[in-house]
Amino acid sequence: MGSDRTILSTRPDDDVGTDGPDRWLRLISQGVIALLVGAALFGFLGLRTATAVATSGGITLEVLHPEVTRPGIATPFAISVATVDGSPLPDTVTTRVESAFLDMFDENGLDPTPVSTFQDDRWIWWTFEVPDGASRLTVSFDARLQPTVQSGRTTVVAVEVQGEEAVSLEFHTRVVP
């Protein structure tokens, strides 16, 4: 019984891909992947926070904000308002944040709870009652960046006392994949 079977190898020829543009494309692709993995391992692609500070009219505004973040991860954002000389804050303090910035987040909570809120086309105002004698108010915004957000934003945060802007600052949040 004879057989006329031909054996075909699945092994590519030894000289395929070892020279020419295919080899260079493969090496460049591997280099880019190695750089991305290295950047991720050393925290360059993860969450990075910063604190912006401004002082005016006897009030200091500190904002802990995401400097670099990624979609879908918990992202800290906190606003602290304090008097420069340690004297008590007014009975109510109003913070103002651009709503386009807050729209990037899935909110889980705001602490403390404002006594009133208001929103127009550009801003969200949160008004807080301040306990007698308190010289600092800290507002924590518990949220994660929405998974669909692919680009960062520049925003303004301000503090109003008795209906007048006391201090404001601007910062930028960058979103990476």
Side-chain angles (χ1 to χ4, degrees):
M1 297 201 127
S3 170
D4 285 340
R5 287 194 278 168
T6 304
I7 298 175
L8 297 175
S9 172
T10 58
R11 181 174 169 235
D13 293 338
D14 288 340
D15 62 344
V16 173
T18 59
D19 198 19
D22 287 344
R23 177 174 185 249
W24 287 108
L25 183 61
R26 186 176 67 250
L27 288 173
I28 289 170
S29 299
Q30 289 172 344
V32 167
I33 290 169
L35 283 173
L36 286 173
V37 168
L41 283 174
F42 290 103
F44 293 112
L45 298 181
L47 176 68
R48 201 169 35 219
T49 61
T51 301
V53 180
T55 300
S56 178
I59 301 285
T60 298
L61 169 62
E62 291 181 28
V63 178
L64 172 68
H65 64 91
E67 187 174 52
V68 178
T69 189
R70 292 186 1 243
I73 64 172
T75 305
F77 180 64
I79 302 168
S80 290
V81 180
T83 57
V84 174
D85 60 3
S87 62
L89 285 166
D91 293 340
T92 61
V93 172
T94 301
T95 61
R96 185 179 75 215
V97 183
E98 288 185 290
S99 56
F101 177 75
L102 295 176
D103 288 345
M104 295 190 325
F105 299 95
D106 284 333
E107 180 186 351
N108 295 323
L110 184 65
D111 189 40
T113 302
V115 292
S116 70
T117 61
F118 179 76
Q119 181 174 355
D120 67 10
D121 291 340
R122 182 174 178 197
W123 301 101
I124 293 178
W125 286 267
W126 296 320
T127 301
F128 301 93
E129 285 183 347
V130 179
D132 289 339
S135 62
R136 176 177 288 278
L137 166 70
T138 300
V139 178
S140 298
F141 185 71
D142 181 18
R144 72 179 180 102
L145 196 70
Q146 290 194 39
T148 57
V149 174
Q150 299 299 315
S151 63
R153 298 198 176 122
T154 298
T155 194
V156 173
V157 174
V159 173
E160 295 180 2
V161 176
Q162 298 174 346
E164 297 294 322
E165 182 177 301
V167 61
S168 68
L169 57 80
E170 180 178 276
F171 60 86
H172 182 76
T173 293
R174 189 164 47 105
V175 176
V176 294

